[in-house]
Amino acid sequence: MKKFSILFLLFSVLISAQNNRMIYEYTFRPDSTKVDSLKTEWMYLDISKNGSKYYSKSTFESDSIVNESIKKQMAAGMKSISVSRNQRGGEVSYEVEKSYPDYKTNLISRVGNDSYKVLEDRKLNWKILPYKMKIGEFNAQNATTDFAGRKWTAWFTTDVPVLDGPYKFSGLPGLIVEISDATGSHKMELKGIKKLKEIKEEELNAQGKDIPFTKKKPIEVNRQQYIKQLKQYENDPVQGMREIMNQPNSKIKVNINGQEFTDPKDVLRALEQNAREEMKKNNNKIELQP
């Protein structure tokens, strides 16, 4: 017991003294009508002394590639910026940020051509149960909660002195190592912990240009305002693109899954068709009630 206490103390010092990355495997079924639509995404939960950030590895890497391509085109003085939609990669485009020690939680979500920062105003009410088991190398305990229209079952460990977890989940006396919803549609499993240096995300300097499909500074809204934006997007998924293309001297070339479009009417038609197909296939979101 004494040996365990010493190891635990040393690990506490390490994890509080530097940044750590919790690596989760996120398995989800985007289309509730298709049992075989199961997908997997590697997610990062980066933890620092001031808070955490949860995001997709693939989307982060794809955004970096797109930004580098745009910077090279702008440096070369190209008047027409080419953005390949299939470079975005990653099925998960949202991010979740939490601040410590108050655990204030914000969703960073892309809707159309805009990005929104949404403060979460719903509290997680956990019911900690006596059930325990070993998950990987961790001693874990069971807890349940209802959130955003789903019933969730979590396993957390006090072996790691972090009171956080993937997505918006936190508030348990330890790190969440596994969490899944009652339907089996969404599941997040901790697969590794990595020490890392601080990562400073570089913002794209678009030199005043509104370039589609690029990561933008999010607009801060409350949850009701965000729901309104979601409904507007569902009704007209190319509204933002239409506004960009109506600007003077605006020329946009879009590549969607290998097919290039330059004529404004073709661009809007292709983007709307693609957006509606994606919405139809993505009917089983992690939040049934945003």
Side-chain angles (χ1 to χ4, degrees), residues 18 23 37 87 123 128 143 171 201 207 256-257:
Q18 58 191 330
I23 304 170
S37 68
Q87 282 181 339
K123 185 179 179 181
I128 298 178
E201 190 172 347
Q207 301 176 14
I256 301 178
N257 299 325

Side-chain angles (χ1 to χ4, degrees), residues 29-30 150 186 230 234 282-288:
R29 183 174 290 108
R150 293 187 185 275
H186 298 268
L230 287 176
E234 290 173 359
N282 189 23
N283 57 62
N284 194 28
K285 296 181 179 179
I286 191 169
E287 293 190 22
L288 297 176

Side-chain angles (χ1 to χ4, degrees), residues 165-181:
Y167 194 57
K168 297 180 179 180
F169 301 109
S170 64
L172 287 167
L175 176 69
I176 295 174
V177 296
E178 184 178 307
I179 185 166
S180 58
D181 82 309

Side-chain angles (χ1 to χ4, degrees), residues 158-171:
T158 56
D159 294 350
V160 181
V162 173
L163 312 183
D164 209 336
Y167 194 57
K168 297 180 179 180
F169 301 109
S170 64

Side-chain angles (χ1 to χ4, degrees), residues 28 41 56-60 62 86-93:
F28 59 102
E41 188 109 355
S56 160
K57 173 182 180 292
S58 295
T59 300
F60 173 79
S62 297
N86 59 7
Q87 282 181 339
R88 280 189 58 197
E91 295 285 339
V92 179
S93 61

